[in-house]
Every structure is written in structure tokens, then in C-alpha cells.
Amino acid sequence: MATQPKKAANDENRAGVAKEILERLSNELVFALVGPLGSGVSMAAELIREKLTGPYQYECPPILKPSDVIREKAPLIGAMAPKPQNSVSYVSNMQDLGNELRSKYGNNYLIEKTIEKMYIFRKDKGGYEGDVELPGRRAYIIDSIKHKDELDLLRSIYGDSLCVIGVFAPDQIRNKRLQDLGFPEEERVKVMDRDQGEVLTFGQDTRNVFVEADFFICNDRREMDVSEALDRFLELIFDISVRTPTLRESTMYEAESASAKSACMSRQVGASIVSSNGELIAIGWNDVPKFGGGLYNEDDRRSLDMQSKDFVDRDFRCHNWAGGVCHNDQNKERIIKQVVENVAKIEGADIEKKLAIEEAVAKSDVKSLIEFSRSIHAEMEAILSVAREGKHSLVGATLFTNTYPCHNCARHIVAAGIKEVVYIKPYKKSLALRLHYDAITEIPDEGGKVLFRQYDGVAPSIYFKIFLTPKDRKDGGKIVRRNRWEAVPVFRVPLDAKRDYEDKVIADLAQKEQVEGG
């Protein structure tokens, strides 16, 4: 009987420790936006700030813009920032200044100075008691980040409390917006000019950050639509009410989940297909096909041999077969060597010239060939899986994939009768639009073609964090309704570690500026 009070005391102590840890979790959030010129990133940033400072009762500094850092710090490189204007030359000049600052102070200088502003805001708002950070309803909105290094630094400091929002719009809409802003036609052409074999909407640096976003917003119609999308995202972040995945979100999650099954050494791609009435009818991933249908998988490593009754390894995927080499790369190198040898014979080239020929051929599109892979592509496998079952029609279906389809898959998609493709990541080698512009479009309002469009919604990477809530949905048999002004974020991190990282960034900044400034 004497152990009962001791157990109760231990339980109370554990509860006290748990409460103390919970009290040391931050309520702060950092929103970093990314998107191409004309997509509406600044408008989305202002809407987020308006909503957070309104019904959610968060304290927010003015929108944090790395371009402001460029203007403030240009004198450090002996320059003056140009006067803001709606022109490509202004954007180009600001980028040049930003690059010079990065060259002198490091790749992350602009975002480090932004972090410093966040630290100062928190301090000014009473976010510290001595050296101890205090919980507070504060949020910081960055418009916008452009480089993967900046994203990596923000994530290393703020972890799950960083919410990256990608904003996009089709090119013809962005073009009209730039026209309305006064961009001359020749400058709009420079902005809008994209390699037709790639996704039209984004420049490469922005794309590398964009595909890492936690939330994607399509800004192709009204500001009200963006506002409603942000309302939903914030309700999910704060777990305000019961929100479940849209069909697009759940199907893209299936595609991303399927990609994890791929053992391809080049890239892991997943695809899923929903019928014209919204039923999930197929998934696929890129891997080596096997006899009898389907693809090799992890279970084939331990297959029962019916004759010997022993378990044998029958996983013949590239990493586990014939020396573990990528056969696509191997064949491309073989072709390059053939071309070099044949040209060298004609030219009578010596070793130095042969090396120059090899370098020139290697820079050609030979390196982009995708014809020699043993793997079937994810989109093809998804389509074939429907054929194996023989239960569904693909006419009018929608295919979701985490990566823009290659031109090989594109022709199968068109022939299958699929009406729409939704993707997240670009694929530089794809010639889908160039080879099939008669049957494929990226323009939403262009009918009579398969529409390839960018995904919008919650990213698959945070699918479970957002939609599987640990909180009780009901109390006393009734739904629990949380007030926006007191709801806490789903994404919370310990207060203490963040401060340590920020201190390091700011200390490094001071040292760099002192050394460079003399």
C-alpha cells in the first residue's frame, strides 16, 4: 500500500515535467514565400500578415524583404541601389547587387540579415527575460526567398515552425499582370521567355525552392481565391476546425508515397491516377519490370525457389544487378565514345583534340537521353496497372505525379485518353510540350488538349502532420471549436535551440562585416 502515494507522486512529477516542456514550446511562426515575378507573392504575404494580426492576434513586423537588405547594405560594396520601378532592368540590377553582397559576405548574407531583423523584433517586443526566450504570439513573413541555401538555413534554425508557401500563376496571366504594371513588351518577353521543353512558369533558382514548399497556391483568378486558400492553410496550421484532404491532396500524396518504392539511382518518381468520377484507380513508380507483370520490389530479395525450397535473391533492379550500374548512363557514355572516335578518325585528331571533341559532345543533348533505362517510368506503370486489372477506363482520368512527365510518358498519357496531369517538380529533359504541342497544353483555358498543370494544395511532405491531429475533436459528445486568437500552431519547436542558432548567425554576421569593413 505504501507504493501507491509514491506512484502518484511520480505520475505528478512526470506530468509537471511534461507541462514544463510544453510551456517551453514556441508559438512563433515563420512564413517564407516563393514564386516567380508576377505570380502575386507580395499580395499573398500581405494577406497572411492581415489575417495573423487580425483574428489570430499575432504580432508581426512589417513584411521582411531581402530586397530591403540589398538597398540598405549596397553601400558596403560601394554601390547605391536603383530606385524601385517596374522594369526588368531594375530587377536585374537588384539581382546583381544581391550577388555582389553574397560574394563578399557569403551566399546566405541576405537571409542572415533578415534573421537578424527577426531577432531584433522579438527582443523589442519583450520576447526575452534576461537570456531566456519567452513564449509569444509572433510571426515573421519573408517576401521572398530565391535560393535553396536560404531555405536550408531557415529550416535548420526554425524547423517545423517554418511554413514555406509557393505562389504561382500561368504565364499568360503573369504576362498580363506585368503589362498592367507598365513593363514594356520587350522586357516582358525577357521575363516570359522559357525553354519550351521545360515547365514554362519558373526560372531555375526559384523552382528549386518552390518545389520544397509546404503549401502551394494557384493565383490565376481572383484575390478572393488566394485569400480563401490562405484561410484554409491557417486553419490547418492552427487546427481550428475539422479539415480533411481535398481529392487533389490525397491523390498527390499517393503519388509521392509511391515514389518511395522506387530503387532508381537517378530519381524517385511516383504517379497515381483517379478516374473521371474521382476514384483512385492506379499508382505507379519508376523501377525495373519483371516477368509476370509489375515491378521488382524489396520482397523479391527473399523469394522462395519452388525447386530447391530455399530463399533466393531475385531482386534484379539496377542497384542489385550486373555490377550495380546505371545502364542509361552507361549507354550514353558508350555513344559519346563512339562519336568521338568516329570524328577523330575523320579529322585525324590527336589526344588533345579528342579530349576537346569529347567535351563538346558531352555538352550536347546526348547527356539528356533517357532511352536506355531498364526502368519503366512511374506514369507508364500506373497506366499499365489499369490494363493489367482490366477494370477501369482511363478516358477522362487525371494523372498525378511528383515530377513533370518526360516526352516518352507524355505520348502514352495522350494515347490513353487522360485529360489532365498534375505535377510538382520540373523535369529539364522533358520535351513533352515541344513534341506534342498539338495535344498538350499548359494553358488552363485552352481546350481540346491534355492540360499539364502545377499542383496546388498541401504538400505531400507535411500530409500527416497536417491532417492527423493528436487533439480530441469532441468534448462531451460535441465538436470542439477553437478560437483563432488563442489557438496554438500544430508546428511547434523548443524555444531554446532556435535562440542558440540565431545567436550564431548574428555573431558570424558581425565578424564578417567587421573583417570586410576594416
Side-chain angles (χ1 to χ4, degrees):
M1 295 296 294
T3 60
Q4 194 66 26
K6 184 176 180 180
K7 180 180 181 302
N10 287 339
D11 289 345
E12 185 178 344
N13 182 56
R14 280 194 291 270
V17 171
K19 182 180 179 183
E20 184 177 337
I21 291 173
L22 283 174
E23 289 174 349
R24 294 300 298 157
L25 293 179
S26 176
N27 290 327
E28 284 194 352
L29 290 170
V30 179
F31 291 86
L33 287 87
V34 55
L37 189 65
S39 61
V41 168
S42 296
M43 179 262 287
E46 292 291 348
L47 284 172
I48 293 171
R49 188 175 187 278
E50 178 183 313
K51 295 174 189 297
L52 287 173
T53 56
Y56 290 90
Q57 295 187 10
Y58 261 65
E59 289 185 304
C60 300
I63 304 296
L64 300 166
K65 298 185 177 184
S67 58
D68 290 340
V69 176
I70 294 174
R71 275 188 281 273
E72 293 167 7
K73 297 300 177 180
L76 291 177
I77 52 174
M80 293 295 292
K83 186 177 179 180
Q85 55 182 298
N86 293 325
S87 70
V88 172
S89 59
Y90 167 74
V91 174
S92 178
N93 289 338
M94 290 292 287
Q95 288 175 341
D96 290 342
L97 290 175
N99 289 338
E100 287 186 46
L101 285 167
R102 291 187 186 95
S103 177
K104 187 171 184 178
Y105 296 112
N107 283 340
N108 281 327
Y109 180 70
L110 300 183
I111 204 66
E112 288 171 348
K113 295 300 292 185
T114 303
I115 290 169
E116 183 180 53
K117 291 184 177 184
M118 294 158 61
Y119 174 88
I120 292 171
F121 178 82
R122 185 188 306 115
K123 189 173 182 179
D124 289 345
K125 292 296 180 179
Y128 296 103
E129 189 175 273
D131 291 332
V132 179
E133 184 179 340
L134 302 175
R137 296 178 73 80
R138 291 177 291 271
Y140 311 91
I141 302 157
I142 303 173
D143 171 18
S144 59
I145 55 175
K146 299 290 186 183
H147 297 275
K148 185 68 163 52
D149 288 347
E150 296 174 341
L151 174 61
D152 291 341
L153 178 60
L154 288 170
R155 283 218 163 117
S156 69
I157 296 175
Y158 301 104
D160 286 345
S161 64
L162 173 70
C163 301
V164 182
I165 297 181
V167 184
F168 66 96
D171 272 10
Q172 74 277 15
I173 292 176
R174 292 174 53 223
N175 183 47
K176 180 63 168 60
R177 288 173 182 163
L178 295 177
Q179 182 180 11
D180 292 343
L181 287 171
F183 278 75
E185 182 177 357
E186 64 275 10
E187 295 197 345
R188 294 202 311 276
V189 170
K190 292 178 183 177
V191 172
M192 305 305 298
D193 187 24
R194 294 290 184 270
D195 182 350
Q196 294 296 302
E198 294 187 44
V199 183
L200 294 178
T201 309
F202 297 88
Q204 191 60 46
D205 286 343
T206 304
R207 282 290 311 190
N208 286 337
V209 181
F210 181 89
V211 298
E212 299 285 337
D214 302 307
F215 304 93
F216 299 95
I217 293 179
C218 181
N219 177 25
D220 63 355
R221 290 293 184 268
R222 305 168 301 165
E223 182 176 321
M224 184 184 300
D225 296 330
V226 177
S227 180
E228 289 175 355
L230 290 171
D231 280 334
R232 179 172 180 266
F233 290 158
L234 288 174
E235 287 187 8
L236 288 167
I237 290 170
F238 286 94
D239 196 17
I240 294 296
S241 60
V242 177
R243 288 283 200 172
T244 56
T246 64
L247 177 63
R248 298 174 86 83
E249 289 167 339
S250 61
T251 313
M252 184 58 82
Y253 173 77
E254 294 286 352
E256 182 74 8
S257 178
S259 72
K261 299 181 181 182
S262 170
C264 182
M265 292 185 285
S266 297
R267 65 176 64 225
Q268 293 175 284
V269 181
S272 59
I273 301 175
V274 291
S275 66
S276 57
N277 63 3
E279 179 185 358
L280 179 68
I281 59 176
I283 62 170
W285 58 97
N286 58 324
D287 230 323
V288 179
K290 66 179 179 180
F291 173 74
L295 312 175
Y296 289 109
N297 57 63
E298 191 72 13
D299 294 331
D300 291 317
R301 290 198 173 201
R302 187 173 169 79
S303 297
L304 181 64
D305 184 86
M306 299 309 294
Q307 292 184 342
S308 67
K309 303 301 181 183
D310 290 331
F311 287 101
V312 295
D313 187 348
R314 286 186 175 143
D315 180 2
F316 298 132
R317 293 177 289 184
C318 294
H319 76 283
N320 199 41
W321 183 77
V325 300
C326 176
H327 295 273
N328 195 51
D329 287 350
Q330 193 177 62
N331 279 286
K332 285 189 290 187
E333 292 298 329
R334 175 181 57 82
I335 292 172
I336 289 174
K337 287 181 180 179
Q338 285 179 350
V339 172
V340 171
E341 291 298 328
N342 290 336
V343 173
K345 287 178 183 178
I346 295 172
E347 298 292 331
D350 56 20
I351 293 177
E352 186 175 341
K353 285 185 177 179
K354 282 180 68 174
L355 289 174
I357 295 169
E358 185 172 352
E359 184 179 350
V361 175
K363 290 178 179 178
S364 73
D365 286 344
V366 172
K367 282 288 188 179
S368 296
L369 289 174
I370 57 176
E371 310 295 330
F372 310 108
S373 174
R374 294 179 67 234
S375 291
I376 188 172
H377 291 191
E379 300 93 324
M380 294 184 191
E381 166 59 14
I383 290 170
L384 286 174
S385 71
V386 176
R388 286 197 299 269
E389 292 294 324
K391 295 179 181 178
H392 299 280
S393 170
L394 288 169
V395 176
T398 300
L399 185 146
F400 290 76
T401 174
N402 63 349
T403 305
Y404 192 94
C406 73
H407 41 277
N408 284 336
C409 289
R411 59 186 181 226
H412 289 80
I413 288 167
V414 173
I418 291 169
K419 70 171 184 180
E420 185 175 354
V421 173
V422 182
Y423 64 91
I424 293 179
K425 301 174 185 175
Y427 186 48
K428 289 182 66 176
K429 297 178 182 180
S430 180
L431 302 177
L433 201 61
R434 182 182 299 173
L435 296 177
H436 299 284
Y437 63 83
D438 61 307
I440 296 173
T441 182
E442 292 181 346
I443 301 173
D445 297 327
E446 186 176 3
K449 297 181 181 181
V450 182
L451 175 61
F452 280 33
R453 67 184 304 160
Q454 176 73 50
Y455 169 75
D456 62 320
V458 173
S461 59
I462 63 167
Y463 186 85
F464 284 123
K465 288 180 183 178
I466 281 289
F467 293 115
L468 283 182
T469 175
K471 297 178 182 178
D472 291 331
R473 284 180 167 174
K474 63 181 181 179
D475 183 20
K478 292 185 178 181
I479 188 70
V480 174
R481 301 194 184 278
R482 297 180 177 89
N483 296 320
R484 285 170 171 74
W485 57 87
E486 57 187 3
V488 297
V490 173
F491 308 127
R492 303 178 74 195
V493 296
L495 288 163
D496 309 286
K498 179 178 61 181
R499 166 76 184 277
D500 294 338
Y501 283 122
E502 285 183 335
D503 283 347
K504 184 180 187 313
V505 167
I506 292 167
D508 288 347
L509 268 175
Q511 183 178 5
K512 284 189 288 190
E513 290 180 346
Q514 183 177 9
V515 170
E516 293 293 342

